[in-house]
mmCIF file of all heavy atoms in Angstrom:
data_model
loop_
_atom_site.group_PDB
_atom_site.id
_atom_site.type_symbol
_atom_site.label_atom_id
_atom_site.label_comp_id
_atom_site.label_asym_id
_atom_site.label_seq_id
_atom_site.Cartn_x
_atom_site.Cartn_y
_atom_site.Cartn_z
ATOM 1 N N TYR G 283 18.966 38.835 -42.583
ATOM 2 C CA TYR G 283 17.740 38.061 -42.370
ATOM 3 C C TYR G 283 17.939 36.623 -42.841
ATOM 4 O O TYR G 283 17.416 35.683 -42.227
ATOM 5 C CB TYR G 283 16.574 38.704 -43.128
ATOM 6 C CG TYR G 283 16.122 40.016 -42.525
ATOM 7 C CD1 TYR G 283 16.401 41.216 -43.168
ATOM 8 C CD2 TYR G 283 15.431 40.048 -41.325
ATOM 9 C CE1 TYR G 283 15.999 42.431 -42.613
ATOM 10 C CE2 TYR G 283 15.029 41.252 -40.762
ATOM 11 C CZ TYR G 283 15.325 42.447 -41.418
ATOM 12 O OH TYR G 283 14.937 43.642 -40.877
ATOM 13 N N THR G 284 18.688 36.471 -43.951
ATOM 14 C CA THR G 284 18.974 35.120 -44.449
ATOM 15 C C THR G 284 19.783 34.332 -43.426
ATOM 16 O O THR G 284 19.618 33.126 -43.264
ATOM 17 C CB THR G 284 19.746 35.205 -45.775
ATOM 18 O OG1 THR G 284 18.999 35.981 -46.701
ATOM 19 C CG2 THR G 284 19.970 33.822 -46.351
ATOM 20 N N PHE G 285 20.634 34.996 -42.654
ATOM 21 C CA PHE G 285 21.450 34.348 -41.637
ATOM 22 C C PHE G 285 20.660 34.074 -40.353
ATOM 23 O O PHE G 285 20.787 33.025 -39.739
ATOM 24 C CB PHE G 285 22.674 35.233 -41.328
ATOM 25 C CG PHE G 285 23.509 34.729 -40.183
ATOM 26 C CD1 PHE G 285 24.367 33.657 -40.357
ATOM 27 C CD2 PHE G 285 23.418 35.336 -38.937
ATOM 28 C CE1 PHE G 285 25.131 33.198 -39.297
ATOM 29 C CE2 PHE G 285 24.191 34.878 -37.895
ATOM 30 C CZ PHE G 285 25.042 33.812 -38.073
ATOM 31 N N LEU G 286 19.818 35.051 -39.968
ATOM 32 C CA LEU G 286 19.084 34.932 -38.709
ATOM 33 C C LEU G 286 17.965 33.899 -38.761
ATOM 34 O O LEU G 286 17.668 33.245 -37.767
ATOM 35 C CB LEU G 286 18.503 36.291 -38.312
ATOM 36 C CG LEU G 286 19.499 37.316 -37.785
ATOM 37 C CD1 LEU G 286 18.789 38.632 -37.519
ATOM 38 C CD2 LEU G 286 20.164 36.814 -36.504
ATOM 39 N N LEU G 287 17.318 33.744 -39.909
ATOM 40 C CA LEU G 287 16.182 32.831 -40.011
ATOM 41 C C LEU G 287 16.562 31.388 -39.687
ATOM 42 O O LEU G 287 15.899 30.744 -38.855
ATOM 43 C CB LEU G 287 15.546 32.929 -41.402
ATOM 44 C CG LEU G 287 14.281 32.085 -41.630
ATOM 45 C CD1 LEU G 287 13.207 32.465 -40.611
ATOM 46 C CD2 LEU G 287 13.771 32.248 -43.053
ATOM 47 N N PRO G 288 17.635 30.831 -40.279
ATOM 48 C CA PRO G 288 18.027 29.469 -39.878
ATOM 49 C C PRO G 288 18.418 29.373 -38.414
ATOM 50 O O PRO G 288 18.156 28.362 -37.749
ATOM 51 C CB PRO G 288 19.225 29.168 -40.789
ATOM 52 C CG PRO G 288 19.064 30.079 -41.946
ATOM 53 C CD PRO G 288 18.451 31.329 -41.384
ATOM 54 N N MET G 289 19.050 30.433 -37.855
ATOM 55 C CA MET G 289 19.438 30.421 -36.459
ATOM 56 C C MET G 289 18.219 30.375 -35.541
ATOM 57 O O MET G 289 18.192 29.631 -34.559
ATOM 58 C CB MET G 289 20.273 31.655 -36.140
ATOM 59 C CG MET G 289 21.678 31.616 -36.752
ATOM 60 S SD MET G 289 22.683 30.263 -36.066
ATOM 61 C CE MET G 289 22.805 30.772 -34.356
ATOM 62 N N LEU G 290 17.183 31.149 -35.870
ATOM 63 C CA LEU G 290 15.954 31.144 -35.078
ATOM 64 C C LEU G 290 15.259 29.779 -35.126
ATOM 65 O O LEU G 290 14.744 29.293 -34.125
ATOM 66 C CB LEU G 290 15.015 32.246 -35.562
ATOM 67 C CG LEU G 290 15.459 33.679 -35.245
ATOM 68 C CD1 LEU G 290 14.536 34.681 -35.949
ATOM 69 C CD2 LEU G 290 15.439 33.916 -33.740
ATOM 70 N N LEU G 291 15.254 29.170 -36.309
ATOM 71 C CA LEU G 291 14.646 27.849 -36.451
ATOM 72 C C LEU G 291 15.405 26.815 -35.622
ATOM 73 O O LEU G 291 14.810 25.962 -34.965
ATOM 74 C CB LEU G 291 14.625 27.435 -37.928
ATOM 75 C CG LEU G 291 13.646 28.192 -38.824
ATOM 76 C CD1 LEU G 291 13.845 27.791 -40.276
ATOM 77 C CD2 LEU G 291 12.203 27.911 -38.394
ATOM 78 N N PHE G 292 16.736 26.906 -35.641
ATOM 79 C CA PHE G 292 17.559 25.972 -34.874
ATOM 80 C C PHE G 292 17.315 26.117 -33.377
ATOM 81 O O PHE G 292 17.137 25.140 -32.651
ATOM 82 C CB PHE G 292 19.041 26.208 -35.198
ATOM 83 C CG PHE G 292 19.973 25.388 -34.359
ATOM 84 C CD1 PHE G 292 20.173 24.034 -34.631
ATOM 85 C CD2 PHE G 292 20.646 25.940 -33.276
ATOM 86 C CE1 PHE G 292 21.025 23.270 -33.855
ATOM 87 C CE2 PHE G 292 21.500 25.183 -32.506
ATOM 88 C CZ PHE G 292 21.696 23.843 -32.787
ATOM 89 N N VAL G 293 17.274 27.369 -32.879
ATOM 90 C CA VAL G 293 17.030 27.622 -31.456
ATOM 91 C C VAL G 293 15.654 27.121 -31.047
ATOM 92 O O VAL G 293 15.472 26.545 -29.969
ATOM 93 C CB VAL G 293 17.194 29.120 -31.137
ATOM 94 C CG1 VAL G 293 16.713 29.416 -29.725
ATOM 95 C CG2 VAL G 293 18.637 29.539 -31.309
ATOM 96 N N SER G 294 14.651 27.311 -31.905
ATOM 97 C CA SER G 294 13.298 26.856 -31.597
ATOM 98 C C SER G 294 13.229 25.337 -31.470
ATOM 99 O O SER G 294 12.591 24.803 -30.569
ATOM 100 C CB SER G 294 12.326 27.327 -32.690
ATOM 101 O OG SER G 294 12.301 28.731 -32.752
ATOM 102 N N VAL G 295 13.905 24.625 -32.393
ATOM 103 C CA VAL G 295 13.898 23.163 -32.359
ATOM 104 C C VAL G 295 14.590 22.651 -31.108
ATOM 105 O O VAL G 295 14.110 21.744 -30.421
ATOM 106 C CB VAL G 295 14.568 22.589 -33.628
ATOM 107 C CG1 VAL G 295 14.788 21.087 -33.477
ATOM 108 C CG2 VAL G 295 13.730 22.894 -34.853
ATOM 109 N N VAL G 296 15.739 23.246 -30.746
ATOM 110 C CA VAL G 296 16.472 22.828 -29.549
ATOM 111 C C VAL G 296 15.655 23.085 -28.292
ATOM 112 O O VAL G 296 15.563 22.251 -27.392
ATOM 113 C CB VAL G 296 17.830 23.558 -29.469
ATOM 114 C CG1 VAL G 296 18.489 23.288 -28.114
ATOM 115 C CG2 VAL G 296 18.735 23.099 -30.592
ATOM 116 N N THR G 297 15.018 24.258 -28.220
ATOM 117 C CA THR G 297 14.201 24.595 -27.046
ATOM 118 C C THR G 297 13.043 23.628 -26.895
ATOM 119 O O THR G 297 12.716 23.166 -25.799
ATOM 120 C CB THR G 297 13.664 26.030 -27.160
ATOM 121 O OG1 THR G 297 14.778 26.916 -27.289
ATOM 122 C CG2 THR G 297 12.855 26.403 -25.938
ATOM 123 N N TYR G 298 12.381 23.289 -27.992
ATOM 124 C CA TYR G 298 11.262 22.356 -27.946
ATOM 125 C C TYR G 298 11.711 20.967 -27.516
ATOM 126 O O TYR G 298 11.060 20.294 -26.726
ATOM 127 C CB TYR G 298 10.589 22.278 -29.326
ATOM 128 C CG TYR G 298 9.439 21.297 -29.378
ATOM 129 C CD1 TYR G 298 8.196 21.626 -28.851
ATOM 130 C CD2 TYR G 298 9.612 20.028 -29.939
ATOM 131 C CE1 TYR G 298 7.153 20.721 -28.889
ATOM 132 C CE2 TYR G 298 8.574 19.124 -29.983
ATOM 133 C CZ TYR G 298 7.337 19.475 -29.447
ATOM 134 O OH TYR G 298 6.325 18.593 -29.492
ATOM 135 N N SER G 299 12.866 20.517 -28.051
ATOM 136 C CA SER G 299 13.346 19.184 -27.713
ATOM 137 C C SER G 299 13.756 19.076 -26.254
ATOM 138 O O SER G 299 13.777 17.991 -25.690
ATOM 139 C CB SER G 299 14.542 18.812 -28.603
ATOM 140 O OG SER G 299 15.640 19.667 -28.332
ATOM 141 N N GLN G 300 14.062 20.213 -25.603
ATOM 142 C CA GLN G 300 14.459 20.203 -24.207
ATOM 143 C C GLN G 300 13.297 20.522 -23.260
ATOM 144 O O GLN G 300 13.510 20.690 -22.077
ATOM 145 C CB GLN G 300 15.591 21.207 -23.972
ATOM 146 C CG GLN G 300 16.883 20.804 -24.676
ATOM 147 C CD GLN G 300 17.976 21.821 -24.457
ATOM 148 O OE1 GLN G 300 17.707 22.925 -23.984
ATOM 149 N NE2 GLN G 300 19.203 21.456 -24.805
ATOM 150 N N SER G 301 12.077 20.643 -23.773
ATOM 151 C CA SER G 301 10.920 20.910 -22.928
ATOM 152 C C SER G 301 10.647 19.711 -22.033
ATOM 153 O O SER G 301 11.016 18.580 -22.355
ATOM 154 C CB SER G 301 9.687 21.208 -23.786
ATOM 155 O OG SER G 301 9.378 20.098 -24.595
ATOM 156 N N PRO G 302 10.024 19.911 -20.844
ATOM 157 C CA PRO G 302 9.818 18.815 -19.899
ATOM 158 C C PRO G 302 9.019 17.673 -20.508
ATOM 159 O O PRO G 302 8.022 17.872 -21.196
ATOM 160 C CB PRO G 302 9.042 19.472 -18.749
ATOM 161 C CG PRO G 302 9.379 20.926 -18.854
ATOM 162 C CD PRO G 302 9.551 21.196 -20.324
ATOM 163 N N VAL G 303 9.476 16.450 -20.265
ATOM 164 C CA VAL G 303 8.784 15.260 -20.734
ATOM 165 C C VAL G 303 7.726 14.870 -19.696
ATOM 166 O O VAL G 303 7.963 14.965 -18.496
ATOM 167 C CB VAL G 303 9.788 14.097 -20.930
ATOM 168 C CG1 VAL G 303 9.076 12.834 -21.376
ATOM 169 C CG2 VAL G 303 10.848 14.495 -21.941
ATOM 170 N N LYS G 304 6.560 14.429 -20.140
ATOM 171 C CA LYS G 304 5.487 14.047 -19.226
ATOM 172 C C LYS G 304 5.961 12.902 -18.332
ATOM 173 O O LYS G 304 6.528 11.927 -18.808
ATOM 174 C CB LYS G 304 4.244 13.624 -20.012
ATOM 175 C CG LYS G 304 3.074 13.246 -19.113
ATOM 176 C CD LYS G 304 1.854 12.947 -19.941
ATOM 177 C CE LYS G 304 0.698 12.484 -19.067
ATOM 178 N NZ LYS G 304 0.324 13.473 -18.066
ATOM 179 N N LYS G 305 5.764 13.045 -17.034
ATOM 180 C CA LYS G 305 6.207 12.044 -16.068
ATOM 181 C C LYS G 305 5.134 10.970 -15.931
ATOM 182 O O LYS G 305 4.047 11.220 -15.443
ATOM 183 C CB LYS G 305 6.501 12.711 -14.729
ATOM 184 C CG LYS G 305 7.619 13.748 -14.815
ATOM 185 C CD LYS G 305 7.795 14.473 -13.505
ATOM 186 C CE LYS G 305 8.966 15.428 -13.557
ATOM 187 N NZ LYS G 305 8.753 16.504 -14.551
ATOM 188 N N ASP G 306 5.449 9.746 -16.355
ATOM 189 C CA ASP G 306 4.459 8.687 -16.449
ATOM 190 C C ASP G 306 4.637 7.579 -15.422
ATOM 191 O O ASP G 306 3.729 6.767 -15.250
ATOM 192 C CB ASP G 306 4.487 8.055 -17.847
ATOM 193 C CG ASP G 306 3.849 8.946 -18.894
ATOM 194 O OD1 ASP G 306 2.898 9.655 -18.547
ATOM 195 O OD2 ASP G 306 4.302 8.910 -20.040
ATOM 196 N N TYR G 307 5.791 7.504 -14.778
ATOM 197 C CA TYR G 307 6.075 6.377 -13.883
ATOM 198 C C TYR G 307 6.103 6.830 -12.429
ATOM 199 O O TYR G 307 6.546 7.936 -12.119
ATOM 200 C CB TYR G 307 7.406 5.725 -14.257
ATOM 201 C CG TYR G 307 7.386 5.103 -15.631
ATOM 202 C CD1 TYR G 307 7.792 5.829 -16.750
ATOM 203 C CD2 TYR G 307 6.950 3.797 -15.823
ATOM 204 C CE1 TYR G 307 7.768 5.265 -18.016
ATOM 205 C CE2 TYR G 307 6.925 3.228 -17.080
ATOM 206 C CZ TYR G 307 7.333 3.967 -18.177
ATOM 207 O OH TYR G 307 7.300 3.406 -19.419
ATOM 208 N N TYR G 308 5.663 5.913 -11.524
ATOM 209 C CA TYR G 308 5.558 6.253 -10.105
ATOM 210 C C TYR G 308 6.150 5.136 -9.253
ATOM 211 O O TYR G 308 5.981 3.948 -9.559
ATOM 212 C CB TYR G 308 4.090 6.439 -9.697
ATOM 213 C CG TYR G 308 3.415 7.618 -10.354
ATOM 214 C CD1 TYR G 308 2.931 7.523 -11.649
ATOM 215 C CD2 TYR G 308 3.257 8.818 -9.673
ATOM 216 C CE1 TYR G 308 2.306 8.606 -12.253
ATOM 217 C CE2 TYR G 308 2.629 9.898 -10.265
ATOM 218 C CZ TYR G 308 2.159 9.786 -11.557
ATOM 219 O OH TYR G 308 1.550 10.853 -12.156
ATOM 220 N N LEU G 309 6.820 5.528 -8.189
ATOM 221 C CA LEU G 309 7.275 4.619 -7.146
ATOM 222 C C LEU G 309 6.722 5.143 -5.827
ATOM 223 O O LEU G 309 6.987 6.288 -5.449
ATOM 224 C CB LEU G 309 8.803 4.559 -7.091
ATOM 225 C CG LEU G 309 9.399 3.747 -5.931
ATOM 226 C CD1 LEU G 309 9.020 2.270 -6.052
ATOM 227 C CD2 LEU G 309 10.912 3.904 -5.883
ATOM 228 N N LYS G 310 5.949 4.305 -5.123
ATOM 229 C CA LYS G 310 5.290 4.740 -3.887
ATOM 230 C C LYS G 310 5.550 3.729 -2.769
ATOM 231 O O LYS G 310 5.538 2.517 -3.008
ATOM 232 C CB LYS G 310 3.776 4.881 -4.094
ATOM 233 C CG LYS G 310 3.393 5.827 -5.224
ATOM 234 C CD LYS G 310 1.894 5.817 -5.457
ATOM 235 C CE LYS G 310 1.519 6.642 -6.666
ATOM 236 N NZ LYS G 310 0.055 6.606 -6.933
ATOM 237 N N VAL G 311 5.767 4.250 -1.575
ATOM 238 C CA VAL G 311 5.967 3.420 -0.383
ATOM 239 C C VAL G 311 4.941 3.838 0.662
ATOM 240 O O VAL G 311 4.818 5.027 0.982
ATOM 241 C CB VAL G 311 7.391 3.570 0.177
ATOM 242 C CG1 VAL G 311 7.553 2.714 1.431
ATOM 243 C CG2 VAL G 311 8.428 3.179 -0.873
ATOM 244 N N SER G 312 4.197 2.855 1.183
ATOM 245 C CA SER G 312 3.153 3.117 2.177
ATOM 246 C C SER G 312 3.467 2.366 3.468
ATOM 247 O O SER G 312 3.983 1.243 3.431
ATOM 248 C CB SER G 312 1.780 2.669 1.666
ATOM 249 O OG SER G 312 1.433 3.330 0.478
ATOM 250 N N GLY G 313 3.140 2.991 4.575
ATOM 251 C CA GLY G 313 3.315 2.343 5.867
ATOM 252 C C GLY G 313 2.207 2.743 6.816
ATOM 253 O O GLY G 313 1.822 3.913 6.871
ATOM 254 N N GLY G 314 1.666 1.761 7.562
ATOM 255 C CA GLY G 314 0.574 2.077 8.472
ATOM 256 C C GLY G 314 0.217 0.902 9.350
ATOM 257 O O GLY G 314 1.037 0.019 9.610
ATOM 258 N N ARG G 315 -1.020 0.893 9.791
ATOM 259 C CA ARG G 315 -1.507 -0.100 10.760
ATOM 260 C C ARG G 315 -2.588 -0.963 10.116
ATOM 261 O O ARG G 315 -3.530 -0.450 9.509
ATOM 262 C CB ARG G 315 -2.054 0.602 11.997
ATOM 263 C CG ARG G 315 -2.475 -0.331 13.126
ATOM 264 C CD ARG G 315 -2.773 0.471 14.381
ATOM 265 N NE ARG G 315 -3.227 -0.355 15.496
ATOM 266 C CZ ARG G 315 -2.411 -1.031 16.297
ATOM 267 N NH1 ARG G 315 -1.112 -0.970 16.105
ATOM 268 N NH2 ARG G 315 -2.895 -1.753 17.304
ATOM 269 N N VAL G 316 -2.444 -2.277 10.287
ATOM 270 C CA VAL G 316 -3.390 -3.254 9.749
ATOM 271 C C VAL G 316 -4.226 -3.814 10.884
ATOM 272 O O VAL G 316 -3.710 -4.124 11.962
ATOM 273 C CB VAL G 316 -2.658 -4.409 9.042
ATOM 274 C CG1 VAL G 316 -3.661 -5.369 8.418
ATOM 275 C CG2 VAL G 316 -1.705 -3.888 7.992
ATOM 276 N N LEU G 317 -5.525 -3.945 10.637
ATOM 277 C CA LEU G 317 -6.431 -4.635 11.556
ATOM 278 C C LEU G 317 -6.895 -5.913 10.878
ATOM 279 O O LEU G 317 -7.495 -5.865 9.800
ATOM 280 C CB LEU G 317 -7.629 -3.758 11.917
ATOM 281 C CG LEU G 317 -7.316 -2.447 12.645
ATOM 282 C CD1 LEU G 317 -8.602 -1.671 12.907
ATOM 283 C CD2 LEU G 317 -6.576 -2.705 13.951
ATOM 284 N N PHE G 318 -6.601 -7.068 11.496
ATOM 285 C CA PHE G 318 -6.962 -8.358 10.935
ATOM 286 C C PHE G 318 -8.309 -8.812 11.500
ATOM 287 O O PHE G 318 -8.560 -8.682 12.698
ATOM 288 C CB PHE G 318 -5.905 -9.408 11.278
ATOM 289 C CG PHE G 318 -4.558 -9.152 10.648
ATOM 290 C CD1 PHE G 318 -3.653 -8.308 11.263
ATOM 291 C CD2 PHE G 318 -4.207 -9.759 9.455
ATOM 292 C CE1 PHE G 318 -2.406 -8.073 10.695
ATOM 293 C CE2 PHE G 318 -2.968 -9.526 8.884
ATOM 294 C CZ PHE G 318 -2.063 -8.684 9.513
ATOM 295 N N GLY G 319 -9.138 -9.354 10.629
ATOM 296 C CA GLY G 319 -10.418 -9.913 11.063
ATOM 297 C C GLY G 319 -11.306 -8.878 11.709
ATOM 298 O O GLY G 319 -11.606 -7.828 11.129
ATOM 299 N N THR G 320 -11.727 -9.146 12.960
ATOM 300 C CA THR G 320 -12.623 -8.225 13.668
ATOM 301 C C THR G 320 -11.883 -7.051 14.295
ATOM 302 O O THR G 320 -12.489 -6.228 14.971
ATOM 303 C CB THR G 320 -13.388 -8.986 14.766
ATOM 304 O OG1 THR G 320 -12.451 -9.592 15.662
ATOM 305 C CG2 THR G 320 -14.272 -10.073 14.167
ATOM 306 N N GLY G 321 -10.569 -6.978 14.097
ATOM 307 C CA GLY G 321 -9.793 -5.860 14.617
ATOM 308 C C GLY G 321 -9.084 -6.135 15.916
ATOM 309 O O GLY G 321 -8.348 -5.286 16.416
ATOM 310 N N ASP G 322 -9.268 -7.339 16.488
ATOM 311 C CA ASP G 322 -8.594 -7.650 17.749
ATOM 312 C C ASP G 322 -7.158 -8.133 17.531
ATOM 313 O O ASP G 322 -6.426 -8.368 18.494
ATOM 314 C CB ASP G 322 -9.389 -8.680 18.550
ATOM 315 C CG ASP G 322 -9.694 -9.926 17.749
ATOM 316 O OD1 ASP G 322 -9.494 -9.916 16.531
ATOM 317 O OD2 ASP G 322 -10.125 -10.928 18.353
ATOM 318 N N VAL G 323 -6.751 -8.330 16.288
ATOM 319 C CA VAL G 323 -5.353 -8.602 15.940
ATOM 320 C C VAL G 323 -4.883 -7.441 15.077
ATOM 321 O O VAL G 323 -5.490 -7.146 14.040
ATOM 322 C CB VAL G 323 -5.202 -9.930 15.183
ATOM 323 C CG1 VAL G 323 -3.739 -10.165 14.801
ATOM 324 C CG2 VAL G 323 -5.723 -11.088 16.017
ATOM 325 N N ALA G 324 -3.818 -6.778 15.491
ATOM 326 C CA ALA G 324 -3.356 -5.577 14.782
ATOM 327 C C ALA G 324 -1.841 -5.584 14.685
ATOM 328 O O ALA G 324 -1.148 -6.260 15.445
ATOM 329 C CB ALA G 324 -3.832 -4.321 15.516
ATOM 330 N N GLY G 325 -1.327 -4.801 13.738
ATOM 331 C CA GLY G 325 0.114 -4.708 13.570
ATOM 332 C C GLY G 325 0.482 -3.813 12.410
ATOM 333 O O GLY G 325 -0.375 -3.163 11.800
ATOM 334 N N PRO G 326 1.766 -3.755 12.049
ATOM 335 C CA PRO G 326 2.218 -2.872 10.979
ATOM 336 C C PRO G 326 1.994 -3.461 9.586
ATOM 337 O O PRO G 326 1.954 -4.684 9.409
ATOM 338 C CB PRO G 326 3.721 -2.722 11.270
ATOM 339 C CG PRO G 326 4.088 -4.012 11.928
ATOM 340 C CD PRO G 326 2.894 -4.416 12.751
#
Side-chain angles (χ1 to χ4, degrees):
Y283 289 108
T284 304
F285 174 77
L286 286 176
L287 184 58
M289 289 296 296
L290 289 172
L291 289 174
F292 174 77
V293 170
S294 299
V295 170
V296 171
T297 302
Y298 178 78
S299 65
Q300 293 179 347
S301 61
V303 178
K304 181 175 177 59
K305 298 175 176 63
D306 285 327
Y307 296 92
Y308 294 81
L309 174 64
K310 304 175 186 178
V311 179
S312 301
R315 185 170 178 82
V316 183
L317 298 179
F318 294 85
T320 58
D322 54 348
V323 178

